[in-house]
Amino acid sequence: MLALLFGLGFSAMSQIRIPGTTVSFQFPNGGWKYLKTMNPAKNTTVYLYSYSARVVVDKSGEEVTPFMRIYVKQNYSDSPFELAYERSVQQPFQSLEEYMEGLPGKDGIGYIGAYTGTSDGKDYQFRMIYFRDGNNVVEIRMETTLDTYDEMAKEFEDVMKTIRTK
């Protein structure tokens, strides 16, 4: 476990492998740090990273922490579209754009979406993809507040372009 955390923690320019999958990615511009791994349900693992290259400030002057969430559903027999639907019921959002081109793995779908946080009332925007990797379906989501999204969009795109399956 210590080796896994060590590998996830030093993520600047190295190839990062998602445990239990053939998926890898990079942070080509550096500036991201590993936060933690969670297991919210059986056969489900979540990895969290935060953007720390510089301070991101929204229009009201508050510091914002853009983040990346990797959600891996192991031994998932349904399609990525089914998982995307299940997750959207759990965490509703408005789809601003959907796409299916340029995604890793098989049977993928990508979104640019937005929602209003229920606990803080802030508006958020994200880039998210779903795809199949063997018996797993992977969700990768990069998110920040709506008014800082344009500032982070290229960073999010650059990371998403590095995602590969073996």
Side-chain angles (χ1 to χ4, degrees):
M1 185 64 154
L2 186 57
L4 167 68
L5 293 176
F6 182 77
L8 289 173
F10 291 93
S11 56
M13 291 296 287
S14 62
Q15 193 75 8
I16 300 165
R17 296 218 175 269
I18 300 172
T21 73
T22 68
V23 180
S24 64
F25 65 95
Q26 294 179 359
F27 293 120
N29 305 319
W32 289 84
K33 69 177 185 177
Y34 168 77
L35 293 176
K36 65 180 172 177
T37 300
M38 301 177 296
N39 296 97
K42 185 178 180 184
N43 295 327
T44 304
T45 306
V46 177
Y47 305 95
L48 296 177
Y49 292 83
S50 66
Y51 184 70
S52 60
R54 60 183 167 70
V55 175
V56 178
V57 179
D58 67 13
K59 290 178 183 174
S60 69
E62 278 189 60
E63 286 187 19
V64 174
T65 304
F67 72 91
M68 176 183 196
R69 177 181 67 205
I70 302 168
Y71 181 96
V72 180
K73 191 75 167 177
Q74 295 105 358
N75 301 316
Y76 189 77
S77 59
D78 290 333
S79 75
F81 303 100
E82 288 294 319
L83 184 60
Y85 175 74
E86 289 174 23
R87 301 277 295 144
S88 72
V89 169
Q90 294 170 347
Q91 297 178 340
F93 66 90
Q94 178 183 2
S95 176
L96 305 174
E97 179 183 332
E98 292 181 19
Y99 56 97
M100 298 170 105
E101 301 81 32
L103 299 172
K106 295 167 60 177
D107 305 323
I109 187 165
Y111 298 98
I112 294 177
Y115 71 96
T116 301
T118 55
S119 62
D120 63 7
K122 288 186 180 185
D123 293 325
Y124 294 88
Q125 189 167 339
F126 59 87
R127 176 175 290 274
M128 175 171 59
I129 59 174
Y130 289 88
F131 58 93
R132 177 165 293 289
D133 173 61
N135 293 352
N136 305 316
V137 173
V138 178
E139 169 198 283
I140 298 178
R141 178 172 172 148
M142 302 189 81
E143 177 175 317
T144 191
T145 57
L146 180 64
D147 61 345
T148 61
Y149 184 83
D150 288 344
E151 179 181 342
M152 293 301 300
K154 180 159 179 9
E155 179 73 25
F156 292 172
E157 289 172 28
D158 288 350
V159 173
M160 290 286 193
K161 286 178 187 175
T162 72
I163 299 169
R164 303 280 183 265
T165 58
K166 198 170 195 179

